[in-house]
Amino acid sequence: MANIDVGLLADLEARGLVAQMTGDRALESYLAEGSRTLYCGFDPTADSLHIGSLVPLLTLKRFQLAGHKPLALVGGATGLIGDPSFKSAERKLNTPDVVATWVDKLKAQVGAFIDFECGDASAEVVNNLDWTANMDVLTFLRDVGKHFSVNNMINKESVKQRIDREGAGISFTEFTYMLLQSYDFAELYKRNQCTLQIGGSDQWGNITGGVDLTRRLHGGQVFGLTLPLVTKSDGTKFGKTESGTIWLDANKTSPYAFYQFWLNTADADVYKFLRYFTFLSVAEIADIEAADVAAQGRPQAQGVLAREVTRLVHGDSGLAAAQRITEALFAGDTAGLSESDLDQLAQDGLPSSALVLDGQPLTQLLADAGMAPSGKQVKDALQRNAVEVNKVTVGLEQNMAAAEVFAQSNALFNKYFLVKLGKKKYHLFTC
RNA sequence: GCAGGGGUUCCCGAGUGGCCAAAGGGAUCAGACUGUAAAUCUGACGCGAAAGCUUCGAUGGUUCGAAUCCAUCCCCCUGCACCA
């Protein structure tokens, strides 16, 4: 007898989180009438999810908060095949043991977002390998394959470019992906009374496939709902920075880098992202926006966004670490940092490394430390006095004098060098 | 298989014997301005601190000298044919 929040779908729509859904408005009343079980799949294509998966993950949580039961499916089987949806080229297959280790990591990661101990609406993590691993080909072809029309599959928008374009092609393996995912839905309907699948809008074809198959196999009516693809106002791809993908795993993207990513959100995107990525109410977000418009200068929205999302993903301690570094580097006086502060910065995930001096120029030293992709860029920065070592500006003329610049006597507390390149890049050297 | 077009530095795209590390645009990095924004302006943008070194699908060749010419090979695109 969970409390069902009948306004869930309306809230999702207000947040701009509904891209498409099946069955007109039937889903709305269906959800309002009782606690339902829904699922969303996450394929193990890497050892961590990235922020692109955050929208469906948080949406699962939104359903749970509204009294529904979420199943997080980790695609131990589908991950072995590869989803061709909107992909421009065939991908290489990962080995079963690699996928298996990724499955374990994703299970843990996904689990952090949903509640497993809340009565009827408790979440579960499932793996589609459990019901596909032992299925034989003939059974699959007769029981599942028979329900799919190749004619329809070919016409799906998601594989169109692979069908039409010469040279890109699609293997039978990837073409079959949709059958596997559809079967998942039917199976979860049978096993868990799961009647709703959510996913990114690129999953629409796969989801409707599952809706159809469930009806054909079990005569059940199930629903699908897709979430929008996250886009940025400037047209660049969401979730990438110069330094690469923003991962959810703290070991791949530190809480500090994660926090900085959100803090740097463009004004044009930030309120939308607040609606997508936080649990603040639509009204609260509107208030923030109104306040920002009224106040001249720096908006507060980015700070709120960074705080909220970092807490969701990395918890209070991760957020605290990210904020400590941010405060120290961007707000406070770095010269005033204590020895334990510096210790903490390295611990908190500020890029750091041991100082190795063997006569190399600064350009190479800093490039090797990862502060720039090539010495050329360090040189450019040196030329423009954009490099600081322990608050002292270093110029190009000192390029060959790394030993003096990094002389032990210049070290903070006899062991630290805090190097700044440009306005945002910091690196801590220890000697 | 035949005919035609093409593979250039992260991407797009000029360049058809020396003046080419290779136009232009985008992306990116840095500076100014700012809010660790946006827009704009400036600089950098194969690697190297420099001397210099390595690139223009691959391999050989012609030449004092090749991204540019020749040969072979690989890949892509467009027609046609073949197969049906």
Side-chain angles (χ1 to χ4, degrees):
Chain A
M1 315 325 85
N3 302 322
I4 305 302
D5 176 0
V6 297
L8 173 65
L9 202 59
D11 180 59
L12 293 178
E13 289 183 313
R15 289 176 180 276
L17 279 174
V18 177
Q20 296 150 294
M21 56 183 156
T22 56
D24 302 319
R25 306 293 307 176
L27 182 58
E28 185 158 32
S29 49
Y30 180 73
L31 288 173
E33 281 162 16
S35 177
R36 309 301 186 184
T37 300
L38 73 150
Y39 99 93
C40 178
F42 301 92
D43 272 358
T45 54
D47 60 356
S48 168
L49 296 174
H50 49 82
I51 55 175
S53 301
L54 218 41
V55 172
L57 220 34
L58 296 180
T59 305
L60 276 184
K61 179 67 176 175
R62 292 181 206 281
F63 273 89
Q64 186 171 40
L65 290 172
H68 303 287
K69 180 183 177 70
L71 306 176
L73 180 149
V74 176
T78 36
L80 291 169
I81 302 304
D83 184 1
S85 299
F86 299 100
K87 302 288 191 313
S88 57
E90 184 86 9
R91 289 174 303 159
K92 81 173 208 319
L93 295 173
N94 295 303
T95 61
D97 52 315
V98 165
V99 172
T101 61
W102 290 351
V103 164
D104 289 340
K105 295 205 174 188
L106 295 206
K107 274 184 175 173
Q109 219 167 39
V110 159
F113 290 88
I114 40 184
D115 194 345
F116 294 90
E117 304 286 341
C118 61
D120 291 344
S122 292
E124 284 178 42
V125 175
V126 295
N127 183 349
N128 55 14
L129 194 58
D130 292 345
W131 53 82
T132 49
N134 294 317
M135 180 182 254
D136 65 273
V137 200
L138 292 177
T139 305
F140 180 74
L141 292 177
R142 290 175 63 96
D143 293 357
V144 180
K146 196 68 176 170
H147 296 292
F148 286 83
S149 147
V150 169
N151 307 50
N152 292 342
M153 290 171 69
I154 284 176
N155 288 320
K156 295 268 182 191
E157 201 55 45
S158 54
V159 294
K160 214 170 187 77
Q161 58 171 324
R162 297 281 291 280
I163 302 285
D164 294 347
R165 255 179 54 186
E166 281 188 44
I170 181 168
S171 66
F172 182 74
T173 304
E174 284 197 7
F175 191 58
T176 310
Y177 182 93
M178 192 182 136
L179 274 69
L180 274 185
Q181 185 168 332
S182 298
Y183 183 65
D184 286 344
F185 201 175
E187 191 67 15
L188 287 171
Y189 171 78
K190 195 176 78 180
R191 295 177 174 229
N192 303 62
Q193 297 76 51
C194 175
T195 47
L196 171 65
Q197 179 180 177
I198 67 171
S201 58
D202 57 331
Q203 293 299 307
W204 182 247
N206 293 333
I207 291 174
T208 53
V211 171
D212 290 342
L213 184 64
T214 304
R215 189 179 54 246
R216 295 195 169 122
L217 241 32
H218 309 298
Q221 203 213 344
V222 294
F223 302 85
L225 181 147
T226 62
L227 310 165
L229 182 73
V230 181
T231 55
K232 292 203 294 176
S233 56
D234 62 4
T236 57
K237 199 167 159 52
F238 171 76
K240 300 269 187 200
T241 66
E242 327 71 77
S243 36
T245 305
I246 304 296
W247 301 95
L248 299 187
D249 185 338
N251 294 316
K252 290 171 77 82
T253 298
S254 72
Y256 163 66
F258 189 85
Y259 183 85
Q260 285 288 322
F261 169 80
W262 294 103
L263 205 54
N264 282 297
T265 303
D267 292 4
D269 296 318
V270 71
Y271 306 100
K272 177 169 84 173
F273 287 2
L274 280 168
R275 288 190 289 273
Y276 281 5
F277 294 103
T278 73
F279 288 97
L280 299 177
S281 71
V282 174
E284 285 174 288
I285 295 167
D287 287 346
I288 293 172
E289 182 162 11
D292 283 344
V293 170
Q296 293 296 320
R298 187 177 199 168
Q300 56 171 321
Q302 280 86 349
V304 175
L305 178 67
R307 201 155 53 238
E308 292 294 321
V309 186
T310 305
R311 180 162 38 222
L312 279 170
V313 175
H314 296 297
D316 285 320
S317 62
L319 172 62
Q323 286 182 320
R324 269 198 298 276
I325 301 180
T326 298
E327 295 277 314
L329 300 184
F330 294 99
D333 177 8
T334 50
L337 291 169
S338 70
E339 181 167 8
S340 63
D341 286 341
L342 287 163
D343 258 332
Q344 190 63 49
L345 292 187
Q347 293 256 289
D348 285 349
L350 181 71
S352 60
S353 61
L355 181 65
V356 182
L357 286 174
D358 50 6
Q360 74 275 55
L362 287 176
T363 44
Q364 194 188 336
L365 186 67
L366 301 191
D368 287 351
M371 297 194 75
S374 75
K376 264 275 173 28
Q377 294 196 359
V378 178
K379 181 187 170 190
D380 184 49
L382 284 169
Q383 223 152 22
R384 289 160 169 272
N385 295 319
V387 177
E388 282 180 13
V389 177
N390 287 344
K391 290 306 246 183
V392 178
T393 301
V394 180
L396 185 57
E397 67 284 352
Q398 289 166 90
N399 188 29
M400 297 311 291
E404 284 94 274
V405 173
F406 287 97
Q408 186 92 20
S409 55
N410 291 337
L412 296 172
F413 306 103
N414 218 29
K415 58 187 285 206
Y416 290 114
F417 288 99
L418 184 62
V419 181
K420 176 183 173 191
L421 190 160
K423 272 183 286 204
K424 302 185 192 177
K425 291 180 194 164
Y426 286 91
H427 191 94
L428 188 65
F429 285 101
T430 329
C431 62

